Amino acid sequence: MRLVVRTFSELCLTVGTLIVLFVVYVLYWTGVQADIAGAAQIDTLQREWARTPVAASPGPARVRPPYAPGKGIAVMYVPRLGKDWEWPVLQGTEPGTLKKGLGHYAGTARLGETGNFAVAGHRRTHGDPFKDFPRLREGDAVVLTDGTTWFTYRIDRAPYRTVPTDVGVIDPVPRESGFDGPGRYLTLTTCEPEWGSSHRLVVWAHLDATRPVADGRPQALDS
């Protein structure tokens, strides 16, 4: 009987240790990995942009290559989510891509162009980029740069709750967005509830202003 009790106790300790290690991995280590990967992606983008001279005045439109799967395409800033909130946007929404930053839905518009530039991000784990997503409000700025231009979008409504199968939220003109025709839009999506994935939270924004990188940071980042 003593042997049975001791074996059961040791088994409980082992299971308890594994649970603690898993929690540490989910809550802490995936965040460390995401921070390192995200910083590396931003550094890579900035190095690429530094090799491409930025014109101080308007000139011929630069031909931009297609977005490459898994590669960085922009950097996003959301002042409402923190003064130091900064994440790379990569092409694609595959699990491996979302471990390194935010993901641009393939098939949606390119940044700043007519249509819907749609982006997904984790609510929790892998850096918790959209942990405070419910705080977003109408009028909040979402700023992105592709190395040549700053794009300032303005959110049009508080987060909208829907189900994962509602793929219409990333349509060129999403039905529930309130937009009444084609335009240059931004959609952000994340999981709901905070520690689950039964639903999605969505915000829509419209392009409010653009500014050449050569002219300095947009006011939305310094206000």
Side-chain angles (χ1 to χ4, degrees):
M1 185 65 181
R2 185 177 300 173
L3 178 61
V4 171
V5 172
R6 181 168 31 178
T7 301
F8 180 73
S9 298
E10 291 176 352
L11 179 62
C12 288
L13 285 172
T14 299
V15 171
T17 300
L18 290 175
I19 291 173
V20 170
L21 289 174
F22 177 73
V23 171
V24 170
Y25 171 77
V26 169
L27 294 181
Y28 176 72
W29 187 243
T30 63
V32 171
Q33 291 177 314
D35 288 342
I36 294 172
Q41 289 292 327
I42 292 174
D43 182 66
T44 297
L45 280 171
Q46 291 175 338
R47 289 174 182 271
E48 291 176 355
W49 296 340
R51 292 196 295 267
T52 305
V54 178
S57 59
R62 185 182 60 157
V63 176
R64 298 188 296 174
Y67 293 155
K71 301 298 183 181
I73 58 179
V75 179
M76 180 184 292
Y77 306 83
V78 185
R80 168 73 72 176
L81 302 183
K83 184 176 66 175
D84 299 322
W85 196 98
E86 176 188 47
W87 282 90
V89 180
L90 295 83
Q91 176 63 11
T93 55
E94 292 73 19
T97 300
L98 293 180
K99 291 179 181 180
K100 304 174 186 176
L102 310 176
H104 171 243
Y105 285 94
T108 66
R110 294 171 65 101
L111 179 59
E113 295 185 352
T114 299
N116 186 8
F117 182 77
V119 175
H122 280 294
R123 179 87 176 272
R124 280 293 197 172
T125 72
H126 302 294
D128 305 337
F130 282 152
K131 175 175 67 71
D132 295 322
F133 200 92
R135 294 179 53 206
L136 296 174
R137 293 294 181 266
E138 179 181 350
D140 284 350
V142 180
V143 182
L144 296 103
T145 182
D146 64 356
T148 63
T149 306
W150 290 103
F151 301 88
T152 300
Y153 291 83
R154 291 287 174 181
I155 292 176
D156 286 86
R157 57 179 289 182
Y160 169 75
R161 189 172 186 264
T162 188
V163 294
T165 54
D166 185 8
V167 296
V169 299
I170 62 172
D171 282 350
V173 184
R175 290 186 303 275
E176 301 295 332
S177 64
F179 302 140
D180 57 7
R184 295 187 288 177
Y185 304 129
L186 168 72
T187 297
L188 304 179
T189 72
T190 194
C191 290
E192 168 71 1
E194 187 173 347
W195 289 103
S197 59
S198 62
H199 289 74
R200 296 290 184 269
L201 286 182
V202 184
V203 294
W204 292 289
H206 65 276
L207 186 62
D208 183 59
T210 61
R211 180 184 180 90
V213 166
D215 290 350
R217 289 160 56 93
Q219 186 177 1
L221 291 181
D222 298 320
S223 59

